[in-house]
Amino acid sequence: MTKKYLQIVDPIHDFITVYQQEVELIDSSVFQRLRRIRQLAGAHLVYPGAQHSRFEHSLGTMHIAGQAANVLRNKGYLDANDSENIRMAALLHDVGHGPFSHLFEEVLQKKKKNSHEDIGQRIILETEIGDIIKKSGFDKTFLAKLAFGNSKYQFMNEIISGGLSADMMDYLLRDGYFTGAEYAKVDFMRIIHSLDVHDKKLSLDKSALHSFESMMISRYQMFKAVYFHKTVRSAEVMLIQAMALADSELGLTTDDIEIYVQMTDELVISKLVSLEPKNTDLRRAKQLAIEYQERKLLKCVYEKIFTRPRMRKMNITSLQNEIAKMSKVDESEVFIDVSKTPSIPLAPSKKESQSIILTTKKGEGPKESYELPISEIPLVSAISGFMDILRVYTRKQFRKKVEMAAAVILGENNQ
């Protein structure tokens, strides 16, 4: 008799149960590739323990999404088939990520206006992943929508992505654990067991509001301390620039899904450091990749954080040229990095979250639900809006010149 499930030991969730149809997806070459894509790209150069991958994060997201689905199933909102769909969609939510995760997406956005969600849908529909889904008796078209927040069932989308998502709960806990950062404490079990549904949207029991507040603050702190750390971004700026410069030569932003699913962190970095320097762009790409590998990172000489109002739109190329001209340094030695994120996670619709639905019950009466604006949650309101960070980087030998020019052009240094 074939065993119907496996237990995988995990440092965050202790044990993750994986069922037969999920095992077949996990064992596919397309999914196994996620083992070779780091969750936090260049963060390991600052936090040496941050070697974890998209693979284990995907398992963890499936685990939390499954727990959330069970809670809602017990409350009568889902059936067994819905729970299986939610688990499978959560497992596949990151399958479209390219090498170096979100860094590659920055190159994709510039070159093709594509996102990992767009590619993820294609992977589910056009590769062996879709064949496995179909063979297991599930609808690959529906799962491709649900995995990326596009299904017609809003509260099911919200289990996977958004302000109460399994994705965020797992990545905060996992990233905090592997970086050693103490900010990412999330009482996810309290949140999960307090989930409900109101007007086809995910809601939270009022008694768990403090856990939601704590999670939002943890996320904000992780962006400041880890994801947007100036040295982490220094390494990542080098990788982004190297991939962009070498794209024409290496075909990194290919539309060919079969080629795309072969690309991993190590494959791309090895291609970059092995480039034949036939022209200036390829020579610069190779140099940046080698210096990234050797941790000879760019230096941050200017930093400014914008919350409200947002950073005004600016022409990065013009700014780069202006700083280079004033500092009398070649423009290729001036790197401008603009990091942006909403302080509160976007809803699955990709719109900024303005409120949370709370559910409350008094005595024996029926449950009541109401929408609470984010502006009325003091701690969360204080960090709401966007975190935009403008930084200027250069090599060590040009540090003083570029620092002085950036301070004159952009205003006083806010580091």
Side-chain angles (χ1 to χ4, degrees):
M1 183 177 170
T2 307
K3 195 174 182 182
K4 301 286 190 209
Y5 64 89
L6 298 175
Q7 293 276 12
I8 296 175
V9 180
D10 180 71
I12 308 303
H13 305 296
D14 296 331
F15 292 94
I16 294 175
T17 302
V18 184
Y19 298 99
Q20 186 58 44
Q21 67 271 18
E22 296 156 357
V23 170
E24 290 181 28
L25 284 173
I26 291 165
D27 284 346
S28 69
S29 60
V30 173
F31 194 88
Q32 286 292 315
R33 159 185 164 273
L34 296 180
R35 289 184 184 272
R36 300 184 293 282
I37 296 175
R38 282 194 186 92
Q39 174 80 358
L40 297 183
H44 65 287
L45 296 179
V46 176
Y47 299 97
Q51 300 281 355
H52 57 303
S53 72
R54 290 277 154 188
F55 180 86
E56 53 263 41
H57 165 60
S58 296
L59 295 179
T61 301
M62 177 191 71
H63 176 73
I64 295 179
Q67 290 180 311
N70 285 339
V71 167
L72 294 178
R73 185 179 168 190
N74 290 336
K75 293 179 180 180
Y77 297 110
L78 298 170
D79 59 26
N81 190 57
D82 294 327
S83 296
E84 289 175 335
N85 274 308
I86 286 168
R87 281 177 59 91
M88 211 174 284
L91 180 67
L92 297 173
H93 82 287
D94 269 351
V95 76
H97 267 298
F100 306 109
S101 296
H102 289 289
L103 300 193
F104 190 73
E105 193 157 13
E106 291 188 45
V107 180
L108 270 178
Q109 287 284 333
K110 287 176 186 173
K111 300 272 185 173
K112 298 283 181 76
K113 304 297 181 191
N114 267 353
S115 68
H116 79 272
E117 289 98 340
D118 298 327
I119 293 169
Q121 289 193 61
R122 285 191 60 197
I123 287 173
I124 292 172
L125 296 173
E126 299 174 23
T127 70
E128 62 178 322
I129 293 285
D131 298 334
I132 295 166
I133 290 168
K134 191 174 178 182
K135 181 184 157 194
S136 300
F138 292 85
D139 182 345
K140 67 179 182 180
T141 304
F142 175 68
L143 281 174
K145 290 178 179 177
L146 180 59
F148 306 107
N150 299 320
S151 87
K152 63 182 179 180
Y153 303 105
Q154 185 168 340
F155 76 93
M156 288 172 67
N157 294 337
E158 290 171 336
I159 292 171
I160 298 168
S161 60
L164 291 168
S165 67
D167 175 34
M168 180 171 61
M169 291 184 215
D170 185 81
Y171 78 63
L172 286 176
L173 289 165
R174 197 168 296 278
D175 295 349
Y177 178 88
F178 284 104
T179 58
E182 292 294 324
Y183 317 102
K185 303 298 182 187
V186 178
D187 188 2
F188 79 98
M189 290 303 291
R190 177 64 188 270
I191 292 171
I192 285 170
H193 285 282
S194 302
L195 292 176
D196 213 305
V197 176
H198 171 72
D199 196 21
K200 300 180 181 177
K201 297 175 185 174
L202 206 57
S203 65
L204 185 71
D205 191 281
K206 186 182 176 182
S207 64
L209 181 58
H210 64 281
S211 296
F212 171 76
E213 287 181 295
S214 176
M215 182 166 68
M216 291 300 101
I217 292 163
S218 290
R219 179 184 178 276
Y220 182 79
Q221 296 285 18
M222 283 294 285
F223 268 95
K224 285 182 72 176
V226 177
Y227 309 140
F228 287 173
H229 185 291
K230 66 181 180 181
T231 310
V232 170
R233 279 304 292 177
S234 169
E236 295 178 348
V237 164
M238 294 170 76
L239 274 178
I240 291 166
Q241 188 75 359
M243 287 191 285
L245 289 168
D247 185 37
S248 299
E249 178 75 8
L250 300 178
L252 300 177
T253 57
T254 177
D255 289 322
D256 188 324
I257 285 293
E258 288 190 17
I259 295 173
Y260 185 91
V261 296
Q262 300 302 316
M263 290 195 289
T264 62
D265 292 5
E266 292 308 316
L267 177 67
V268 170
I269 198 74
S270 68
K271 282 177 179 266
L272 289 170
V273 300
S274 304
L275 281 166
E276 187 182 335
K278 294 182 287 189
N279 56 45
T280 303
D281 282 356
L282 296 181
R283 186 164 58 252
R284 286 175 60 209
K286 182 184 179 94
Q287 182 185 11
L288 285 165
I290 290 171
E291 289 174 350
Y292 168 84
Q293 271 201 324
E294 295 175 355
R295 205 185 179 279
K296 294 175 181 174
L297 305 180
L298 300 171
K299 301 300 179 184
C300 179
V301 298
Y302 181 91
E303 176 183 85
K304 191 162 188 176
I305 300 174
F306 301 78
T307 49
R308 288 181 238 165
R310 293 204 70 179
M311 187 192 316
R312 60 182 172 81
K313 285 192 174 179
M314 58 180 69
N315 186 317
I316 299 300
T317 304
S318 296
L319 179 59
Q320 183 181 1
N321 293 341
E322 201 177 342
I323 292 172
K325 188 176 179 182
M326 180 173 282
S327 62
K328 295 180 179 169
V329 167
D330 190 279
E331 63 189 52
S332 67
E333 299 293 353
V334 177
F335 300 82
I336 312 291
D337 179 44
V338 177
S339 306
K340 296 184 176 185
T341 188
S343 298
I344 310 300
L346 297 179
S349 63
K350 308 307 177 194
K351 292 180 181 176
E352 188 179 351
S353 299
Q354 302 288 346
S355 60
I356 182 171
I357 299 172
L358 297 179
T359 302
T360 184
K361 193 175 189 301
K362 294 179 182 177
E364 297 300 314
K367 284 187 294 188
E368 296 176 6
S369 296
Y370 62 98
E371 208 161 329
L372 181 68
I374 296 293
S375 59
E376 293 183 23
I377 310 174
L379 288 175
V380 180
S381 177
I383 61 167
S384 66
F386 281 72
M387 189 195 305
D388 296 355
I389 305 179
L390 171 67
R391 291 190 177 113
V392 180
Y393 291 93
T394 192
R395 294 181 197 283
K396 187 177 181 180
Q397 61 265 42
F398 307 120
R399 187 174 191 167
K400 205 67 196 168
K401 290 180 179 178
V402 176
E403 183 177 8
M404 290 171 68
V408 170
I409 292 166
L410 291 165
E412 284 305 307
N413 193 336
N414 281 17
Q415 287 191 82

